[in-house]
């Protein structure tokens, strides 16, 4: 298993739980820590969802599964290495990078991918030295998905509200200095097309230190959307919540969130850094496509957070569809460019179906892959004997592999840090060096 996020660990669970044969699973991750986006994506203030890690922990501890942290496919191991060492390989590497908007000014300082901001507040070691200028007063968040809602919430909450979460100390200190007063969340289509879930939207309206507003004219629905708002539970719930925000707030809270619809980002403007975001008014044409009206406005924002979706990256030697950014597959069986099935190689999770769905979606997704893998093994007769032992290979390369018990040392260090700071259950250690040292305390 390459990737120890939900998809990888649900697949590992399905493999060791099946009763037709004895299966051993090795789970590799480029990070020293398991759980993928449960640790480095799920918002720090969503503690109940974060606790899914406890379920996934049981998979790693239940027998038949070993964890190899700090081992990256493509850098430390190749696809060929894996095929030498294992009967079958499942790639569950998720979607690590941001999608691009393709508008002028996207690369200006202050224009930030939500992936980077999320990684930073979640204490991802790749982002521990990221710097964000939170001295600005107005921020635009592009996108109306659940990640955008997370990002808006983190910007709108006070550091005091986040103190009991696991955000690293340096992140909490930076958020405490934040001068952000107003956050605009921008949807290029209408309220009926918002991707966020109703529960997450409702939470945004209940923040103790931020008022929320949506303009009544932005709530106007075209006839097709109005019909969907009647019939679709998700849309109906969202529209109801949004309609509760049309009254102009009293202006008593220190922060304010403005949710905007029917506005497509056209240009991020500024000399040397972000000074504004130009939006074009939109509507849906008869076929439901979003089209511009030629009316523009510019928001005076000092930071733009682009939360328009995640994207998978190709894995060396593994087929990849450059249009849909997934590994082409049929129920998890990898399809080669000629349309045939690649033997012994499979995918699960976001790299299999794209960056959508909640943690639980990956359970049935992984189960499907495992079912097909086991059927293939059964069809092929007894599994082949691996030609090489992974331990010898890793040792011959001198890789500083993090074992499961090393990770437990890091886990304990984070829990102890929280206790020493009187800051909830866990405070994340950020940065590769700090994490590695905690894995192997001297
Ligand atoms: C910001 C954000 C917040 C979210 N919040 C929620 C939420 O509150 N509730 C909810 O239900 N869902 C949430 N989701 C969705 C959920 O996190 C995903 O559905 C799920 O994590 C996808 O699982 P995965 O295993 O495919 O990918 P991931 O969780 O991304 O796991 C992939 C793993 O592969 C590893 N990896 C990548 N490349 C390599 C390589 N080359 N070699 C070795 N290892 C590699 C990564 O380090 C990572 O650990 C959120 C998603 C995001 C982006
Ligand atoms: N609490 C939770 O349960 C939780 C939290 C976070 C994430 N997640 C899940 O993780 C997955 C990923 O979430 P996500 O928010 O990254 O993706 P998402 O749900 O696909 O939302 C992406 C948003 O970006 C917009 N967008 C895309 N391209 C754009 C462009 N060029 N210009 C303007 N806007 C653009 C989309 O608008 P269009 O619709 O118009 O394309 C959409 O509003 C989702 O399934 C989500 O539910 C769940």
């Amino acid at each position: 298993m390459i990737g120890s996020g939900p998809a990888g660990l649900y697949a590992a669970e399905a493999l060791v739980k099946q009763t037709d044969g004895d299966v051993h699973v090795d789970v590799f991750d480029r990070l020293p820590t398991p759980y993928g986006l449960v640790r480095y994506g799920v918002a720090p203030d969503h503690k109940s969802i974060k606790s899914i890690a406890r379920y996934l922990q049981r998979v790693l501890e239940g027998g038949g599964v070993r964890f190899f942290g700090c081992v990256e496919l493509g850098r430390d191991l190749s696809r060929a290495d894996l095929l030498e060492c294992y009967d079958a390989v499942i790639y569950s590497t998720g979607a690590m990078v941001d999608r691009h908007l393709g508008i002028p000014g996207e690369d200006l300082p202050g224009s930030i991918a939500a992936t980077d901001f999320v990684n930073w507040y979640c204490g991802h070691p790749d982002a521990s030295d990221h710097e964000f200028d939170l001295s600005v007063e107005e921020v635009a968040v592009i996108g109306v998905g659940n990640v955008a809602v997370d990002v808006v919430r983190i910007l709108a909450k006070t550091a005091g509200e986040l103190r009991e979460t696991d955000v690293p100390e340096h992140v909490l200190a930076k958020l405490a200095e934040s001068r952000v007063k107003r956050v605009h969340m921008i949807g290029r289509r209408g309220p009926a097309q918002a991707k966020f879930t109703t529960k997450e939207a409702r939470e945004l309206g209940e923040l103790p230190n931020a008022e929320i507003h949506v303009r009544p004219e932005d709530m106007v629905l075209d006839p097709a959307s109005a019909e969907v708002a009647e019939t679709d539970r998700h849309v109906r719930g969202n529209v109801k919540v949004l309609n509760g925000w049309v009254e102009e707030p009293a202006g008593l809270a220190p922060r304010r969130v403005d949710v905007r619809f029917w506005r497509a980002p056209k240009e991020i403007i500024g000399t040397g850094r972000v000074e504004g975001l130009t939006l074009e008014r939109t509507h849906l044409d008869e076929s439901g496509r979003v089209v511009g009206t030629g009316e523009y406005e510019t928001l005076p924002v000092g930071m733009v957070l682009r939360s328009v979706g995640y994207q998978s990256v190709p894995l060396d030697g593994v087929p990849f569809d450059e249009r849909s950014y997934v590994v082409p597959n049929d129920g998890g069986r990898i399809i080669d460019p000629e349309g045939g099935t690649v033997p012994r190689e499979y995918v699960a999770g976001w790299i299999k179906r794209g960056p959508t769905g909640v943690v639980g979606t990956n359970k049935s997704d992984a189960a499907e892959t495992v079912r097909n893998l086991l059927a293939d093994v059964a069809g092929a007769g007894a599994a082949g004997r691996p030609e090489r032992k992974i331990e010898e290979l890793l040792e011959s390369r001198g890789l500083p592999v993090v074992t499961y018990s090393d990770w437990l040392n890091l886990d304990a260090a984070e829990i102890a840090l929280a206790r020493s700071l009187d800051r909830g259950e866990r405070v994340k250690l950020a940065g590769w060096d700090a994490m590695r040292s905690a894995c192997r305390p001297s």
Side-chain angles (χ1 to χ4, degrees), residues 3 5-7 29-30 36-37 41 49 73 92-94 310 349-350 357-359 362:
D29 206 292
R30 61 180 291 271
L37 284 168
I49 300 166
L73 175 65
S92 50
T93 47
Y310 280 55
W350 276 15
V358 293
V359 170
N362 301 291

Side-chain angles (χ1 to χ4, degrees), residues 329-330 332-336 338-346 376:
N329 71 91
D330 179 11
R333 293 181 172 109
I334 298 182
I335 306 293
D336 66 27
E338 280 73 48
T341 312
V342 180
R344 301 203 288 139
E345 291 175 272
Y346 302 84
D376 293 347

Side-chain angles (χ1 to χ4, degrees), residues 30-364:
R30 61 180 291 271
L31 299 177
T33 56
Y35 315 134
L37 284 168
V38 172
R39 186 175 155 96
Y40 290 123
V42 172
D45 56 346
H46 277 176
K47 284 192 188 156
S48 64
I49 300 166
K50 286 228 170 267
S51 69
I52 293 173
R54 275 189 228 127
Y55 179 93
L56 299 175
Q57 177 178 0
R58 289 204 285 275
V59 177
L60 288 167
E61 293 179 355
V65 180
R66 298 188 298 181
F67 175 70
F68 294 82
C70 281
V71 181
E72 182 170 329
L73 175 65
R75 181 191 65 187
D76 305 316
L77 285 181
S78 69
R79 170 178 170 258
D81 294 331
L82 293 169
L83 291 171
E84 259 183 21
C85 295
Y86 296 99
D87 293 315
V89 182
I90 300 181
Y91 304 106
S92 50
T93 47
M96 298 196 332
V97 298
D98 62 299
R99 268 195 230 140
H100 289 251
L101 283 170
I103 60 170
E106 194 166 3
D107 297 326
L108 275 174
S111 161
I112 293 150
T115 45
D116 286 337
F117 192 65
V118 168
N119 279 348
W120 174 72
Y121 68 62
C122 284
H124 194 295
D126 288 348
S128 59
D129 58 356
H130 284 12
E131 295 279 345
F132 300 104
D133 181 5
L134 297 178
S135 68
V136 300
E137 293 198 351
E138 288 198 41
V139 177
V141 176
I142 300 176
V144 283
N146 276 332
V147 173
V149 173
D150 281 350
V151 164
V152 169
R153 210 178 53 253
I154 297 297
L155 285 168
K157 277 192 169 181
T158 62
E161 288 171 79
L162 295 168
R163 200 173 177 279
E164 296 280 303
T165 72
D166 65 7
V167 298
E169 275 287 274
H170 74 282
V171 170
L172 193 66
K174 188 81 188 176
L175 290 170
E177 290 168 9
S178 167
R179 294 177 58 196
V180 173
K181 288 201 173 107
R182 191 165 185 180
V183 185
H184 307 263
M185 184 161 79
I186 316 289
R188 66 173 164 180
R189 297 190 286 159
Q193 288 78 34
K195 292 265 179 71
F196 49 64
T197 37
T198 307
K199 182 167 165 280
E200 275 59 34
R202 203 175 289 123
E203 189 184 356
L204 207 50
E206 290 166 356
L207 297 179
N209 290 299
E211 289 169 330
I212 193 155
H213 185 238
V214 61
R215 296 178 184 196
E217 63 269 29
D218 281 8
M219 289 304 298
V220 175
L221 302 182
D222 54 285
S225 298
E227 197 182 320
V228 177
E230 296 266 307
T231 52
D232 183 299
R233 210 171 124 249
H234 161 235
V235 176
R236 190 169 55 238
N238 278 358
V239 168
K240 187 170 174 214
V241 170
L242 289 163
N243 273 325
W245 299 343
V246 292
E247 203 173 304
E248 183 61 35
L252 300 174
R255 288 179 177 158
R256 171 182 171 123
V257 175
D258 282 281
V259 186
R260 302 294 306 276
F261 292 106
W262 307 115
R263 297 290 182 286
K266 285 291 146 186
E267 184 175 0
I268 300 171
I269 55 173
T271 317
R273 50 160 299 151
V274 171
E275 288 164 10
L277 170 68
T278 301
L279 303 170
E280 183 180 13
R281 201 190 164 96
T282 61
H283 66 93
L284 297 181
D285 70 11
E286 275 161 14
S287 56
R289 269 187 321 225
V290 62
V291 285
T293 63
E295 292 162 73
Y296 295 89
E297 70 176 295
T298 297
L299 300 177
V301 294
M303 184 194 271
V304 173
L305 278 154
R306 310 178 317 262
S307 181
V308 295
Y310 280 55
Q311 204 163 276
S312 295
V313 291
L315 302 169
D316 237 2
V318 179
F320 195 73
D321 183 336
E322 296 284 353
R323 275 168 306 136
S324 53
Y325 294 95
V326 294
V327 172
N329 71 91
D330 179 11
R333 293 181 172 109
I334 298 182
I335 306 293
D336 66 27
E338 280 73 48
T341 312
V342 180
R344 301 203 288 139
E345 291 175 272
Y346 302 84
V347 276
W350 276 15
I351 193 159
K352 170 185 174 188
R353 64 171 199 280
T356 60
V358 293
V359 170
T361 319
N362 301 291
K363 190 164 187 172
S364 48

